Amino acid sequence: MEVTPIDTVATIEAPEHVRFDHRLAGPAQRGAAFLVDALIRVAVVLLLWRLIGTGLVGDDAPVGVLLVAAFLLEWGYFVAFEMLWSGRSPGKRVFGLRVVKQDGRPIGFVDSVLRNLLRAVDYLPAFYALGALASALDPQFRRLGDQAAGTLVVRVSRARSDDRVAVEPPPTAAELAALPPRPALSADELRALEDYLRRVGTLSPAREDELADLIAPALAARMGGLTYGSASRFLALLYHRATVG
Amino acid sequence: MGPTSLHRRPAGRQDAFVAAREADWKALDALLTDDRALHRQPRAELARFGALYRALCADLMRARSAGMSADLVGWLDGLTARAHDALYGSRRVRVVDLADHLLRAFPRALRRQRRALAWAAALFLVPLVVSVVATLVWDGFAQRMVSPLVLEQMAQSYADPLDGRAAGTNAGMTGFYVHNNVGIAFRCFATGLLFGLGSVFFLVYNGVVMGTVVAWVALAGHGRNILTFICGHGAFELTAIVIAGAAGLSMGDALLRPGDRGRFASVRARGPELVRLVAGAAAMLLVAAVIEAWWSPSAIPAPVKWAVGAAFALGVGLWLALGGRR
């Protein structure tokens, strides 16, 4: 049996039987997106108030217009944008988030209405306390409305294919000659090396060496007892040798 | 992929793959840049989209199984997800669908959920009747249920016969009723997610407050005025509150008795039905808001209002009982 790692990824299977991964949006990103949406709505109400509120003092009609606007913004804002922009409100757009169905399809009208009406429950008793609790307990960070409507908030992937991991400084011929021409590495090992090299530079040198030391001795032994100076450098060279030549 | 899948990656194999396929990926990406325009593309483009997407699925699987770089796999993954979303897009909401919903689907859904509807009606009407009787019989009951300040205000505002008011006030009140009543109905439904308890609370609470206020105003001697005011929009407003509550109870029921589904899966399965009910209730409340703001407080003679109120009630009854029947 395949063991599913605990990760912030939702795997979706398309009708073509190809599986692709959606990265889940965490509470911080969702909170920030909500804040943007909240500010936009407050701004719209204030703007309307400035536009129609002045010069008509004493007449109740402008108040009525404002109340209808407030109603539409409170209950209709998310549904409207999620329908128009396929699962993205302006706030979600800013942070690259999107609402999708659990099976990865775009959300429909019913899903959107349900998840957004149920905000009223997630909000209870104040400031989305219940929703925060529910999403903390859910492995996919779904608030109650998401769970009832069967929706996920995911991050839209914008990675580029031409970003390649560069080995700095470039490997010298002597360094590469010391390695076997075709290092025997499994796909998983290569991916682990790549993930590691991607983080080099964002970690402290000591931590980099500590991580590299976990795997470097085993790989060196497999290559016929190679010796190396820096474990981190050794991994970078190995990766380069395996992918570039 | 276990350690058995040791394999060697010849230099440049991924680069060759990318070089061979990149043009197709870019073409698909271009078609996707404006995902709304996909359904407006000419037929040939649409057919091409399908072909490109299927090829991309194959590319993604190949890149994955050949252990190509996580970057490339990640990017293909994202592109596949976007193409998939565009291809299996959601249906658009059309005005025709909305009319059909209100005339047929909504009454049908309501009749299917008649048990929840009966419970909601009981949870609203029994406290209402009890409050009316209690207010008339027991001194001090009304003040315990509703703040004396509000009671005083209500008695005051129905002291004079209805004689119409400024159009501006009517427009303002329309907004107020939309904001307030539809909001209450939505909350009455949504809090049904707390195993139905929120809906029960809202139904009972609204029944008690309405019963108490009407009886209190009647005690003050203005019963005719307040009933003449209510009779126009009552059929729409009170029914809609009960329907919103029924939708909430139905949701609570789906949670409590999920059958062989998970609890939330059970709610999801009932989702379309619930949304039909809530949307119908919201539409009824919008109608009620207009009547309540413009017709109910007008100076039109009471007998006319009673006749029209009866006609509205009959109309609502026929619509909900017969709509969508063959």
Side-chain angles (χ1 to χ4, degrees):
Chain A
M1 204 181 93
E2 198 177 341
V3 180
T4 323
I6 299 169
D7 211 347
T8 54
V9 165
T11 301
I12 275 120
E13 185 167 343
E16 287 75 19
H17 299 295
V18 66
R19 282 180 306 172
F20 50 87
D21 294 336
H22 273 315
R23 285 182 303 159
L24 294 163
Q29 291 166 315
R30 296 184 61 172
F34 177 81
L35 218 56
V36 170
D37 286 320
L39 288 176
I40 289 174
R41 287 181 289 168
V42 168
V44 170
V45 169
L46 287 180
L47 192 73
L48 268 179
W49 188 52
R50 287 295 296 233
L51 283 180
I52 62 174
T54 49
L56 288 160
V57 186
D59 196 345
D60 294 330
V63 181
V65 174
L66 271 182
L67 284 168
V68 170
F71 168 77
L72 289 177
L73 286 171
E74 184 180 355
W75 297 100
Y77 173 88
F78 283 104
V79 175
F81 279 113
E82 284 172 9
M83 288 293 92
L84 271 178
W85 288 349
S86 52
R88 283 170 297 180
S89 63
K92 289 195 181 71
R93 221 175 172 144
V94 168
F95 290 94
L97 309 184
R98 167 192 219 134
V99 189
V100 296
K101 282 197 201 204
Q102 267 170 351
D103 58 7
R105 282 182 296 149
I107 57 165
F109 183 68
V110 166
D111 311 304
S112 181
V113 168
L114 210 52
R115 79 181 289 278
N116 287 308
L117 279 184
L118 293 177
R119 275 177 195 281
V121 181
D122 279 306
Y123 184 80
L124 294 174
F127 302 114
Y128 285 94
L130 202 54
L133 183 70
S135 54
L137 294 174
D138 186 77
Q140 298 183 315
F141 304 126
R142 294 172 301 171
R143 59 178 177 85
L144 294 175
D146 283 324
Q147 297 188 32
T151 52
L152 296 173
V153 180
V154 298
R155 281 190 285 162
V156 182
S157 169
R158 285 277 165 218
R160 299 292 320 169
S161 64
D162 39 9
D163 290 349
R164 310 219 52 188
V165 175
V167 179
E168 283 298 329
T172 62
E175 277 178 318
L176 289 176
L179 296 172
R182 289 172 170 183
L185 294 169
S186 76
D188 282 351
E189 284 163 350
L190 265 181
R191 200 164 306 153
L193 288 188
E194 186 173 330
D195 285 346
Y196 166 76
L197 293 173
R198 198 165 295 287
R199 292 180 67 191
V200 165
T202 66
L203 304 167
S204 69
R207 179 73 180 137
E208 280 171 11
D209 282 336
E210 192 187 340
L211 282 173
D213 270 333
L214 292 174
I215 188 173
L219 293 179
R222 189 195 294 165
M223 310 290 160
L226 289 174
T227 52
Y228 53 86
S230 149
S232 181
R233 180 70 183 164
F234 171 66
L235 293 186
L237 291 172
L238 206 55
Y239 178 79
H240 188 269
R241 190 71 167 146
T243 55
V244 181
Chain B
M1 257 171 279
T4 46
S5 66
L6 276 176
H7 76 114
R8 301 194 177 90
R9 203 153 45 161
R13 183 166 141 197
Q14 173 173 338
D15 292 342
F17 174 64
V18 170
R21 301 290 306 129
E22 201 168 18
D24 274 2
W25 302 337
K26 292 266 154 71
L28 190 64
D29 197 27
L31 279 172
L32 280 171
T33 321
D34 183 8
D35 57 5
R36 273 195 53 195
L38 183 62
H39 67 278
R40 296 208 193 91
Q41 301 277 1
R43 267 157 197 267
E45 288 293 288
L46 274 178
R48 197 169 136 247
F49 180 89
L52 287 172
Y53 169 64
R54 282 189 295 277
L56 175 67
C57 287
D59 291 342
L60 173 59
M61 286 192 269
R62 187 173 159 203
R64 228 183 244 156
S65 60
M68 294 188 190
S69 81
D71 265 352
L72 178 68
V73 173
W75 187 77
L76 290 177
D77 218 86
L79 186 62
T80 312
R82 281 193 295 143
H84 171 266
D85 282 7
L87 194 61
Y88 297 96
S90 45
R91 277 179 53 210
R92 307 180 74 74
V93 183
R94 292 178 308 170
V95 179
V96 186
D97 294 343
L98 287 178
D100 182 70
H101 166 266
L102 281 182
L103 291 179
R104 281 184 278 276
F106 168 55
R108 265 189 217 140
L110 203 56
R111 293 195 294 269
R112 275 194 298 270
Q113 300 292 325
R114 56 183 167 270
R115 270 168 47 89
L117 190 68
W119 275 106
L123 283 167
F124 176 70
L125 290 175
V126 171
L128 188 141
V129 172
V130 168
S131 308
V132 168
V133 174
T135 305
L136 296 178
V137 175
W138 291 319
D139 257 3
F141 174 85
Q143 284 88 342
R144 259 175 225 186
M145 292 295 127
V146 182
S147 107
L149 209 72
V150 172
L151 287 174
E152 193 49 43
Q153 241 175 9
M154 294 308 278
Q156 283 262 304
S157 56
Y158 291 101
D160 301 317
L162 305 169
D163 54 359
R165 38 181 205 204
T169 310
N170 286 345
M173 288 311 283
T174 312
F176 173 75
Y177 292 137
V178 168
H179 183 267
N180 210 48
N181 297 358
V182 187
I184 286 175
F186 283 165
R187 281 191 188 86
C188 182
F189 160 70
T191 51
L193 196 62
L194 307 171
F195 299 102
L197 289 178
S199 307
V200 171
F201 166 79
F202 272 103
L203 286 167
V204 172
Y205 176 81
N206 276 302
V208 167
V209 170
M210 276 183 209
T212 306
V213 166
V214 169
W216 179 261
V217 173
L219 273 183
H222 317 303
R224 199 184 138 81
N225 284 349
I226 192 168
L227 288 177
T228 307
F229 179 78
I230 292 173
C231 73
H233 57 267
F236 289 96
E237 191 172 298
L238 304 183
T239 315
I241 288 173
V242 170
I243 291 171
L249 292 180
S250 176
M251 180 160 60
D253 173 61
L255 276 173
L256 285 170
R257 300 186 302 149
D260 46 12
R261 292 187 171 98
R263 290 193 195 281
F264 281 111
S266 160
V267 174
R268 272 199 295 285
R270 212 174 281 188
E273 191 88 330
L274 299 176
V275 169
R276 266 178 224 127
L277 294 182
V278 177
M284 289 177 79
L285 284 168
L286 293 182
V287 175
V290 174
I291 301 175
E292 187 172 0
W294 297 87
W295 169 266
S296 299
S298 68
I300 291 160
V304 179
K305 280 193 183 169
W306 281 100
V308 170
F312 280 160
L314 188 70
V316 169
L318 286 176
W319 166 45
L320 297 182
L322 302 179
R325 278 193 206 274
R326 259 168 286 202

